[in-house]
Amino acid sequence: MVSVSRESREQTEQRLRAVIAGAELVALDGEWTFQEGPLEELPELIDQVLAVVRDEDSWSWLTRAASVGGDRFALFSFHFPEGLDNSGFVGWLATALKEELGTGVLRRMRAEQQAWWHL
């Protein structure tokens, strides 16, 4: 059974700030990019491919970025201590990034300036 807590916005903010303070932040090395291909050709599942998804007519996969071209992403993850109520964390983080930086969870880096900007 899933329990839904009744919190004010301020209580949620306080709880999730404590959650992020207690979390381990892990950044993946390098830059990553999305590639796409036709549905008839399954992407090669090599060590450099982190995730693969498909829609009705194509495959998309997240892989290490080549030296030239394409949108580039830095990837990170949060690891939470056992028993910590992190419910709502992803939505809270996306909202905080949107309010503070004008962007969502995915961020794009302009290679020529090494500056972050929104998609």
Side-chain angles (χ1 to χ4, degrees):
M1 173 70 63
V2 175
S3 64
V4 177
S5 60
R6 306 263 187 242
E7 297 173 315
S8 68
R9 182 178 174 138
E10 292 79 20
Q11 290 169 321
T12 301
E13 178 80 16
Q14 183 177 14
R15 177 178 57 82
L16 291 175
R17 284 186 177 271
V19 164
I20 200 169
E24 176 188 4
L25 172 64
V26 176
L28 277 67
D29 290 333
E31 296 178 335
W32 298 79
T33 189
F34 288 100
Q35 295 184 1
E36 293 186 347
L39 192 58
E40 301 80 35
E41 298 176 25
L42 180 66
E44 186 178 359
L45 301 178
I46 59 174
D47 289 345
Q48 303 301 314
V49 174
L50 186 62
V52 177
V53 296
R54 63 164 274 196
D55 61 16
E56 292 177 2
D57 49 29
S58 65
W59 288 100
S60 296
W61 59 97
L62 183 60
T63 186
R64 288 199 183 271
S67 58
V68 181
D71 292 334
R72 299 181 184 298
F73 300 93
L75 299 182
F76 60 90
S77 61
F78 289 98
H79 299 263
F80 304 104
E82 188 73 30
L84 197 61
D85 180 6
N86 62 6
S87 61
F89 179 79
V90 173
W92 171 79
L93 180 61
T95 299
L97 289 172
K98 183 70 173 176
E99 289 174 352
E100 288 291 319
L101 304 172
T103 188
V105 175
L106 287 178
R107 306 265 319 218
R108 180 177 175 184
M109 185 169 62
R110 290 191 308 200
E112 68 274 9
Q113 296 180 345
Q114 297 295 305
W116 291 97
W117 61 300
H118 68 280
L119 289 173

